Amino acid sequence: MAHMRVKIAGVELNNPVIVASGCAGFGREYEELFPLSRLGGISVKGMTLHPKAGNPPPRIAETPSGMLNSVGLENPGVDHFIEHELPYLSQKGTTVIANVAGSTPEDCVAIVRKLDPTNVDMIELNISCPNVKQGGAAFGTNCQSAAEVTKAVRQATSKPLMVKLSPNVTSISEIAKAVEAEGADALSLVNTFLGMRIDVESKRPILHNNVGGLSGPAIFPIALRMVWEVYNAVKVPIIGMGGIYDSIYAIEMMMAGASAVQVGAAIFTDPLTPVYIVDRVNQWLDDHGIHNVSELTGTVKPW
Amino acid sequence: MAHMRVKIAGVELNNPVIVASGCAGFGREYEELFPLSRLGGISVKGMTLHPKAGNPPPRIAETPSGMLNSVGLENPGVDHFIEHELPYLSQKGTTVIANVAGSTPEDCVAIVRKLDPTNVDMIELNISCPNVKQGGAAFGTNCQSAAEVTKAVRQATSKPLMVKLSPNVTSISEIAKAVEAEGADALSLVNTFLGMRIDVESKRPILHNNVGGLSGPAIFPIALRMVWEVYNAVKVPIIGMGGIYDSIYAIEMMMAGASAVQVGAAIFTDPLTPVYIVDRVNQWLDDHGIHNVSELTGTVKPW
Amino acid sequence: MPYVQGIYPILFKENLSKNVFDFTIKSKEIASLAQPGQFVQIRVPYMPLRRPISLADINLDKDYIRIVFEIKGQGTGYLAQFKAWDNLDILGPLGRGFTMLPPNKRVYLIGGGIGTPPLVPLAGYYGGNATVITGFRNAKAVILDDEFKKFFNEHILCTDDGSMGIKGFVTDVLYQRLKGGDRPDMIYACGPKPMLQRVAQLAAEFDIECEISMEERMACGIGACLGCACKTHEHDGTSSYAHVCKDGPVFNSKEVIF
Amino acid sequence: MPYVQGIYPILFKENLSKNVFDFTIKSKEIASLAQPGQFVQIRVPYMPLRRPISLADINLDKDYIRIVFEIKGQGTGYLAQFKAWDNLDILGPLGRGFTMLPPNKRVYLIGGGIGTPPLVPLAGYYGGNATVITGFRNAKAVILDDEFKKFFNEHILCTDDGSMGIKGFVTDVLYQRLKGGDRPDMIYACGPKPMLQRVAQLAAEFDIECEISMEERMACGIGACLGCACKTHEHDGTSSYAHVCKDGPVFNSKEVIF
Ligand SMILES: Cc1cc2nc3c(=O)[nH]c(=O)nc-3n(C[C@H](O)[C@H](O)[C@H](O)COP(=O)(O)OP(=O)(O)OC[C@H]3O[C@@H](n4cnc5c(N)ncnc54)[C@H](O)[C@@H]3O)c2cc1C
Ligand SMILES: Cc1cc2nc3c(=O)[nH]c(=O)nc-3n(C[C@H](O)[C@H](O)[C@H](O)COP(=O)(O)OP(=O)(O)OC[C@H]3O[C@@H](n4cnc5c(N)ncnc54)[C@H](O)[C@@H]3O)c2cc1C
Ligand SMILES: Cc1cc2nc3c(=O)[nH]c(=O)nc-3n(C[C@H](O)[C@H](O)[C@H](O)COP(=O)(O)O)c2cc1C
Ligand SMILES: Cc1cc2nc3c(=O)[nH]c(=O)nc-3n(C[C@H](O)[C@H](O)[C@H](O)COP(=O)(O)O)c2cc1C
Ligand code: FES
Ligand code: FES
């Protein structure tokens, strides 16, 4: 058995496979199928300062090898998280990553201040949600605003700070560099791509929000390229995601430069995906005589 | 049988289904399976001023519901096209769209000047090829350079001028507006998304060019959203493409705002795809009592 | 609520009408956990998302469950191609089912089209105390007609065009009954949204308890992704989103905002 | 070159070694157009790109073609799940096959591993005038051993570990033969790239005509997408890209730049 623990921004994870934000809520539901301690970590549903109702339904549409969502950051708010979810979740033997999705820099700062004294392991500042009118991708598609919100949040917390980038940009490495310069300890990428589907019978977009975020295997090759680009542009560790649904995809992502990976939409196809990936990556490492999963990071040999 | 002819920038097409540039060469190969007159048009392989060898192999990689290519604009040059391909192709009873992919604005102008006196029906200025070092996406990911090359080419030809946009941008509608302002008669979108795959055994990117352009069903929802965005931003007609592989997808694309569609990668899965789409769209129109395919354009009803 | 994921074999496959299929699936695990009104999420080839299908029957002795589904699009189309002894990847049972009153209570079961199957376990439970009203487009679309005879239910069959049973909507029949003074202890309804809305109206008008089974597009099916929102009344008079896969699919008709 | 696309049934399926399958497919259309060395593009479930597989046999009388393939990844894995009487969606025959000399010429056929099957039609054509040298990792990987007996070919079998036939590489045997003074009219070779490169070297060294069958990742398979580039010498001394699916898969060994 290879050594699967990885260290990111000072936080040690059981293994490099984290469940992506928004895909496993606060962890309770999937506990029915596997213990959360099998995971490297869980990035919880993006949270706002106050409870948020999210967008009207339909919020889900299927696409070839992918899905769109327009949940719109429905969440019970940071206070509820700290009071009712964190005490349970923090006993489960996995790393807890708090996904912070304020609609203004001030909101983000306020949320992070509340999280600072808790036993959350890491902050994932979400500047890339495509499903909300304020904040979200509006921060993340512009270097200056991405830098500003990072700077503000950086000053508000002593927790390891990871910033989650939007792929809906001309140059993701520019945004990555701007965010790194303001003190991000790690980067996670990618969030979803803005997409659409139409019901040709009713002529209505399938999503009530008209557009939504694309994730799933469809986006994997773009996400992989972006992780590689960012890896070549920054020094901080990267958590790679976007379409990972099997061990080979996780290994590609790590070779491209990721120190760990997140698994999102694939959990809806097969809820055991993250656990299978942990086991199969481990097997692959054994088969290839690699002792430590971290040895994969950034090993791609460009032509 | 519904009326399938569509008119774009003054050019009348047999129907709204065009084979995308780079996917059917100069039309000879697929003639074995169906007469080109069944198509609305063919956008020929992107051409440069001088013959171009393209990138080293491997040039093709498969992805979930998609593929990457890094052909790198291999083509015999515009003179060869005019002398050896066009005379044959222009007798086939379909609209011929010349895809122009010069590496500098001057090159583009020179190519277009050569095409101007020929019986090419339309120019598709490709400012979005992700597989070449010069020109291509370097033009298309920046409003100013996109405007400049459009302006130069606009002055060099009296042919209808369509500009093909890159999806690898933060705001495709900004680019679309910049290009429209310089006199583009139509827009085509999207070209491929920059992506990557890695062979985990050799640790090499599968493509010798390391990265390549993603196309196929995987990108459909993003392409659809972009067509809708651009339709709401410009007045000129749009030819929509990206992942269309069945009639429903073509209809969605037209409802989002496209006046015609192009079919690319799907032809590799099933070479008869474009012809099936023509027939099935026609059937769908009949089933829905719609007399003219153009009535579909832009009919999506956002919530 | 406890649920499992597993691979289970199809024991019987039947074709109930042109596009409607009936699978009996061996799964002791799911059968032993399930309640009427709950559903399962089934994985289908090529499709990234599972398909939610209600349980049409739960047989504890024989360890099987039953699903009845209609081909609507690609996913159900592929599902229909499975044959007896093929294996299905199923997640379930999921959601909150119907509230079960004592079996001697008087109930109405209102089913529209492919909404009829989830009523079968209720029909069996309430037997002669249940009045079942089912409606279909036409005679060709009628399914499960015999099923309710078995249970000695009073059964009224409606078709939109009168080609079988009574001509008209199930809600017309229900309205006549309620106007006529019938006061059941509960109305259960499953079917298209406009039908459910009308049933909810009637239940409110005549002040009768009513539970309806809702549908929404889903990803996880277990309450984790918040995809399947359904607008509901809060106790304090405001509205919020419940989630069909976890808080439903069965809701009290007073909760749902149509 | 003329080619067709169609849906054709598998007549026989055989398992030649652990991961190697042999399909006999009924297709008068393809059989009547095909030449030894050509290939087909087969559609496989879930995969956007077709899989190129060489023709291992072309039988005109009986209207069938034959393919022999090894499971390498997902696509060939799915292909291996097809059974007799299942239908395959096939595009073909594609590419340029081997140059056929008069059958009384002396030829060498060099095959490595899964590169052996396309040599079968040549073996049949040249019969006793062909010397066939095939190589495999070990005894378990050996395929088509009997095939060459049928045609009265001289057949030398090699394995890397000596577990069957001669221990060593096919190119070692070829080198010994050529050094020993054998001067065939043509060498045909199909197999892994390093083997082809060595065969090409030997052919050049001993000045013998040689044709090799190349592989490259493909999309269209018919010369339209320019995906399957293969670096070749031009007559004027420069280099350029040929395309494996159209200009090949069979190339004169002097053309290819390894
Ligand atoms: C709780 C619940 C119970 C259900 N029970 C049954 C049943 O017992 N029998 C039956 O025939 N159908 C039932 N349905 C509806 C069934 O899920 C859809 O008909 C099916 O998902 C359509 O899939 P498709 O691929 O054929 O259609 P497509 O339209 O191609 O599907 C595209 C996407 O939309 C989703 N979708 C489409 N229609 C619906 C819908 N009505 N509800 C939810 N998602 C939808 C699909 O799941 C898929 O993700 C139920 C739905 C829910 C939510
Ligand atoms: C002209 C030609 C003839 C061939 N004849 C045979 C044959 O007779 N028997 C046989 O077993 N194999 C043959 N091959 C190789 C066969 O095409 C590959 O093994 C197969 O495509 C692998 O697909 P996969 O999905 O299993 O592997 P994966 O690695 O999962 O495939 C991923 C992608 O890469 C492509 N690919 C991978 N390996 C190759 C390769 N070696 N050549 C071309 N594309 C590749 C696949 O087609 C697919 O698009 C031939 C290849 C070519 C080009
Ligand atoms: C239903 C759903 C909800 C999501 N909610 C969030 C969220 O709240 N915060 C966030 O940062 N990302 C959110 N995401 C994005 C995922 O965390 C992830 O970045 C994206 O889905 C790409 O990974 P995947 O392809 O593995 O799903 C959500 C994704 C899905 C599918
Ligand atoms: C093999 C290949 C070659 C291509 N070459 C060109 C080209 O020369 N010029 C161009 O404008 N687009 C080129 N494209 C992009 C397509 O024309 C099209 O924009 C893209 O593939 C998206 O459509 P699709 O998803 O239907 O393939 C190429 C695409 C492929 C797959
Ligand atoms: S489908 Fe995920 S919460 Fe209901
Ligand atoms: S595969 Fe398209 S040119 Fe060879």
Side-chain angles (χ1 to χ4, degrees):
Chain A
M1 300 294 273
H3 183 77
M4 291 292 280
R5 295 183 78 81
V6 295
K7 205 165 179 175
I8 291 167
V11 181
E12 199 171 313
L13 281 65
N14 298 336
N15 61 58
V17 183
I18 300 162
V19 175
S21 177
C23 299
F26 298 106
R28 291 183 196 269
E29 289 78 11
Y30 285 106
E31 273 256 283
E32 206 64 58
L33 295 182
F34 56 84
L36 296 178
S37 59
R38 292 291 312 274
L39 300 175
I42 171 168
S43 175
V44 300
K45 177 67 196 171
M47 59 188 118
T48 48
L49 191 53
H50 305 293
K52 201 173 158 81
N55 291 321
R59 294 177 173 181
I60 302 285
E62 200 173 33
T63 74
S65 295
M67 62 172 284
L68 296 166
N69 90 81
S70 59
V71 168
L73 287 176
E74 173 178 344
N75 80 95
V78 63
D79 292 332
H80 180 277
F81 169 72
I82 293 171
E83 213 170 315
H84 298 287
E85 303 291 350
L86 187 58
Y88 167 88
L89 191 55
S90 58
Q91 283 165 24
K92 293 294 166 179
T94 198
T95 298
V96 177
I97 302 175
N99 189 273
V100 170
S103 50
T104 61
E106 295 71 43
D107 265 17
C108 293
V109 166
I111 298 167
V112 164
R113 280 198 209 287
K114 288 181 184 243
L115 292 168
D116 207 50
T118 70
N119 52 3
V120 149
D121 296 297
M122 199 188 262
I123 306 286
E124 183 176 54
L125 179 63
N126 175 358
I127 60 168
S128 45
C129 178
N131 289 321
V132 287
K133 296 245 150 48
Q134 294 179 311
F139 292 145
T141 51
N142 171 304
C143 287
Q144 204 188 325
S145 56
E148 268 167 30
V149 63
T150 306
K151 185 175 181 179
V153 169
R154 172 72 294 173
Q155 287 164 355
T157 183
S158 55
K159 300 260 184 213
L161 174 63
M162 177 156 76
V163 179
K164 183 163 176 183
L165 305 182
S166 168
N168 298 296
V169 295
T170 308
S171 172
I172 197 167
S173 54
E174 291 305 315
I175 312 268
K177 283 190 279 189
V179 158
E180 181 188 40
E182 293 300 342
D185 300 305
L187 299 173
S188 60
L189 57 144
V190 297
N191 210 314
T192 54
F193 290 78
L194 207 55
M196 187 179 192
R197 284 303 300 270
I198 296 170
D199 172 10
V200 297
E201 298 300 328
S202 67
K203 298 197 169 72
R204 287 283 193 189
I206 290 185
L207 300 175
H208 199 289
N209 193 46
N210 297 322
V211 295
L214 179 69
S215 57
I219 69 170
F220 176 77
I222 321 181
L224 187 75
R225 184 265 300 175
M226 289 183 165
V227 165
W228 186 59
E229 247 177 59
V230 170
Y231 181 73
N232 288 314
V234 301
K235 297 214 164 47
V236 293
I238 296 166
I239 297 189
M241 81 193 86
I244 295 174
Y245 72 101
D246 202 350
S247 49
I248 294 299
Y249 293 72
I251 295 166
E252 285 185 56
M253 199 55 103
M254 293 189 72
M255 286 180 172
S259 297
V261 300
Q262 291 188 21
V263 175
I267 204 170
F268 307 140
T269 312
D270 188 336
L272 289 169
T273 307
V275 181
Y276 287 145
I277 292 179
V278 173
D279 291 349
R280 290 179 191 156
V281 168
N282 203 329
Q283 181 66 52
W284 193 92
L285 294 171
D286 285 353
D287 292 348
H288 288 73
I290 299 172
H291 298 298
N292 194 319
V293 70
S294 294
E295 290 172 43
L296 295 175
T297 301
T299 51
V300 64
K301 296 183 287 185
W303 294 89
Chain B
M1 298 296 272
H3 184 78
M4 291 292 280
R5 295 182 78 82
V6 294
K7 206 166 180 174
I8 290 166
V11 182
E12 199 171 314
L13 281 64
N14 298 336
N15 61 58
V17 183
I18 301 161
V19 175
S21 177
C23 299
F26 300 105
R28 289 183 196 270
E29 288 80 11
Y30 286 106
E31 273 256 282
E32 206 64 56
L33 295 182
F34 56 85
L36 296 179
S37 59
R38 293 291 313 273
L39 299 176
I42 171 168
S43 174
V44 301
K45 178 67 198 170
M47 58 189 121
T48 49
L49 191 53
H50 305 294
K52 199 172 160 83
N55 291 321
R59 293 177 176 183
I60 302 284
E62 200 173 30
T63 74
S65 294
M67 62 173 283
L68 295 167
N69 89 80
S70 59
V71 169
L73 288 175
E74 171 176 345
N75 82 94
V78 62
D79 292 333
H80 180 277
F81 169 72
I82 293 171
E83 214 171 314
H84 299 286
E85 303 291 350
L86 187 58
Y88 167 88
L89 190 54
S90 57
Q91 285 166 24
K92 293 293 167 181
T94 198
T95 298
V96 178
I97 302 174
N99 188 275
V100 170
S103 50
T104 62
E106 296 70 44
D107 264 18
C108 293
V109 166
I111 298 166
V112 164
R113 280 198 208 285
K114 288 180 183 243
L115 292 167
D116 207 49
T118 70
N119 51 3
V120 149
D121 297 297
M122 199 188 261
I123 306 285
E124 183 177 55
L125 179 62
N126 176 356
I127 60 167
S128 44
C129 178
N131 289 320
V132 288
K133 295 243 152 47
Q134 293 179 311
F139 292 144
T141 51
N142 171 305
C143 286
Q144 204 189 326
S145 56
E148 269 167 28
V149 64
T150 306
K151 185 175 182 179
V153 169
R154 173 70 295 172
Q155 287 163 356
T157 183
S158 55
K159 300 260 184 213
L161 174 62
M162 177 157 75
V163 179
K164 183 164 177 181
L165 306 182
S166 167
N168 298 296
V169 295
T170 308
S171 172
I172 196 165
S173 54
E174 291 304 315
I175 312 267
K177 283 191 279 187
V179 158
E180 181 189 41
E182 294 300 343
D185 300 305
L187 300 173
S188 59
L189 58 143
V190 298
N191 210 315
T192 53
F193 289 78
L194 206 54
M196 186 180 194
R197 286 302 302 268
I198 297 170
D199 172 9
V200 297
E201 298 300 327
S202 68
K203 297 196 169 74
R204 287 282 194 191
I206 290 185
L207 300 175
H208 200 290
N209 193 44
N210 298 322
V211 295
L214 179 68
S215 57
I219 69 171
F220 176 76
I222 320 181
L224 187 75
R225 183 266 299 178
M226 289 182 165
V227 165
W228 186 60
E229 245 177 60
V230 170
Y231 182 72
N232 288 314
V234 302
K235 297 214 164 46
V236 295
I238 297 166
I239 298 188
M241 80 193 86
I244 295 173
Y245 73 102
D246 202 349
S247 49
I248 293 300
Y249 292 72
I251 294 166
E252 285 185 55
M253 199 56 103
M254 293 188 72
M255 287 181 172
S259 298
V261 300
Q262 291 189 21
V263 176
I267 205 170
F268 307 139
T269 312
D270 187 336
L272 289 168
T273 308
V275 181
Y276 287 145
I277 291 179
V278 174
D279 291 349
R280 290 180 191 156
V281 168
N282 204 328
Q283 182 66 51
W284 192 92
L285 293 171
D286 285 353
D287 292 347
H288 289 73
I290 299 172
H291 299 297
N292 194 318
V293 69
S294 294
E295 290 171 43
L296 294 175
T297 301
T299 51
V300 64
K301 297 183 287 185
W303 294 90
Chain C
M1 309 265 213
Y3 66 91
V4 297
Q5 187 226 347
I7 309 287
Y8 303 104
I10 299 170
L11 298 179
F12 306 106
K13 174 185 181 179
E14 262 192 277
N15 197 336
L16 300 188
S17 78
K18 186 155 174 277
N19 281 319
V20 178
F21 294 85
D22 183 341
F23 286 180
T24 300
I25 300 161
K26 187 170 173 66
S27 173
K28 193 192 181 82
E29 285 166 291
I30 297 179
S32 63
L33 294 169
Q35 296 294 326
Q38 287 191 294
F39 68 102
V40 293
Q41 283 262 77
I42 306 182
R43 187 165 175 183
V44 276
Y46 297 97
M47 300 291 139
L49 297 178
R50 288 168 179 259
R51 295 305 189 257
I53 303 287
S54 293
L55 292 170
D57 211 345
I58 306 150
N59 185 307
L60 258 180
D61 307 339
K62 297 196 180 138
D63 313 338
Y64 64 74
I65 57 171
R66 201 175 138 201
I67 58 167
V68 176
F69 65 93
E70 183 170 21
I71 297 183
K72 283 282 173 70
Q74 279 200 310
T76 45
Y78 289 121
L79 190 60
Q81 289 172 22
F82 280 80
K83 300 181 298 292
W85 302 110
D86 284 345
N87 285 311
L88 285 178
D89 177 344
I90 306 182
L91 190 71
L94 304 173
R96 269 190 4 193
F98 295 107
T99 306
M100 305 303 273
L101 306 178
N104 60 344
K105 294 284 177 185
R106 280 273 302 133
V107 302
Y108 268 78
L109 312 181
I110 315 294
I114 196 64
T116 309
L119 302 177
V120 170
L122 296 175
Y125 177 81
Y126 290 107
N129 297 316
T131 298
V132 182
I133 313 177
T134 59
F136 302 90
R137 280 185 309 282
N138 54 41
K140 280 194 189 148
V142 171
I143 54 168
L144 302 175
D145 191 29
D146 301 339
E147 206 94 9
F148 305 107
K149 293 207 181 71
K150 270 201 327 230
F151 303 131
F152 306 104
N153 307 133
E154 178 192 19
H155 180 209
I156 302 158
L157 177 71
C158 310
T159 53
D160 297 356
D161 64 356
S163 55
M164 192 169 166
I166 295 176
K167 180 178 162 123
F169 294 141
V170 289
T171 45
D172 300 339
V173 178
L174 179 65
Y175 173 70
Q176 292 303 334
R177 289 296 188 98
L178 298 179
K179 218 184 67 176
D182 207 350
R183 287 289 170 276
D185 298 299
M186 178 81 93
I187 301 171
Y188 300 98
C190 187
K193 223 173 194 169
M195 183 201 100
L196 296 181
Q197 187 167 7
R198 178 77 180 124
V199 171
Q201 267 173 9
L202 291 174
E205 195 178 324
F206 292 93
D207 193 24
I208 293 164
E209 278 298 292
C210 173
E211 290 189 340
I212 56 182
S213 181
M214 301 294 293
E215 292 188 3
E216 192 45 73
R217 288 175 187 255
M218 295 184 172
C220 72
I222 62 169
C225 76
L226 310 182
C228 59
C230 170
K231 202 166 201 169
T232 51
H233 295 288
E234 288 288 277
H235 297 295
D236 61 5
T238 64
S239 74
S240 77
Y241 289 117
H243 298 94
V244 171
C245 73
K246 196 175 185 180
D247 308 311
V250 176
F251 291 91
N252 188 299
S253 66
K254 287 199 277 288
E255 288 177 69
V256 175
I257 303 177
F258 281 94
Chain D
M1 309 264 212
Y3 66 90
V4 297
Q5 187 226 345
I7 309 286
Y8 303 104
I10 299 170
L11 297 179
F12 306 105
K13 174 185 181 179
E14 262 191 277
N15 197 336
L16 300 188
S17 76
K18 183 153 175 278
N19 280 319
V20 178
F21 295 85
D22 183 340
F23 286 179
T24 300
I25 300 161
K26 186 167 174 68
S27 172
K28 194 191 181 80
E29 284 166 291
I30 297 179
S32 64
L33 293 169
Q35 296 295 326
Q38 286 191 294
F39 69 102
V40 293
Q41 282 264 75
I42 306 181
R43 187 165 174 183
V44 277
Y46 298 95
M47 301 288 139
L49 298 177
R50 288 168 180 261
R51 296 304 190 259
I53 303 287
S54 293
L55 292 169
D57 212 344
I58 306 150
N59 186 306
L60 257 181
D61 308 339
K62 297 195 179 140
D63 315 336
Y64 64 76
I65 57 171
R66 200 175 139 201
I67 58 168
V68 176
F69 66 93
E70 182 171 20
I71 297 182
K72 282 282 174 68
Q74 279 200 311
T76 46
Y78 288 122
L79 190 59
Q81 290 172 22
F82 280 80
K83 301 179 300 292
W85 301 110
D86 283 345
N87 285 311
L88 285 178
D89 177 345
I90 306 183
L91 189 72
L94 304 172
R96 270 188 7 193
F98 294 108
T99 306
M100 305 302 275
L101 307 179
N104 59 345
K105 295 285 178 183
R106 280 272 302 133
V107 302
Y108 268 78
L109 311 181
I110 315 294
I114 196 65
T116 310
L119 303 177
V120 170
L122 296 175
Y125 177 81
Y126 290 106
N129 297 316
T131 297
V132 183
I133 313 178
T134 58
F136 302 89
R137 278 185 310 282
N138 54 41
K140 280 194 187 147
V142 171
I143 56 168
L144 301 174
D145 191 29
D146 301 338
E147 206 95 7
F148 305 106
K149 293 205 182 72
K150 271 202 325 233
F151 303 130
F152 307 103
N153 307 134
E154 178 192 19
H155 180 208
I156 300 156
L157 176 72
C158 311
T159 53
D160 297 355
D161 64 358
S163 54
M164 192 169 165
I166 294 174
K167 180 178 161 122
F169 294 141
V170 288
T171 46
D172 299 340
V173 178
L174 179 65
Y175 174 70
Q176 292 303 333
R177 289 295 190 99
L178 298 178
K179 218 182 68 176
D182 208 348
R183 285 292 168 276
D185 298 299
M186 178 79 94
I187 300 172
Y188 299 99
C190 187
K193 221 171 195 172
M195 182 201 101
L196 296 181
Q197 187 166 7
R198 177 78 180 126
V199 170
Q201 267 173 8
L202 291 174
E205 194 179 325
F206 292 94
D207 193 24
I208 294 165
E209 278 298 291
C210 174
E211 289 189 343
I212 55 181
S213 181
M214 301 294 292
E215 292 187 5
E216 191 45 74
R217 287 175 188 255
M218 294 183 173
C220 72
I222 62 170
C225 76
L226 311 181
C228 58
C230 169
K231 203 164 202 172
T232 51
H233 295 288
E234 288 289 276
H235 298 295
D236 61 6
T238 64
S239 73
S240 78
Y241 289 118
H243 298 95
V244 171
C245 73
K246 195 176 185 178
D247 308 311
V250 176
F251 290 91
N252 187 298
S253 65
K254 288 200 278 285
E255 286 177 71
V256 175
I257 303 178
F258 281 93

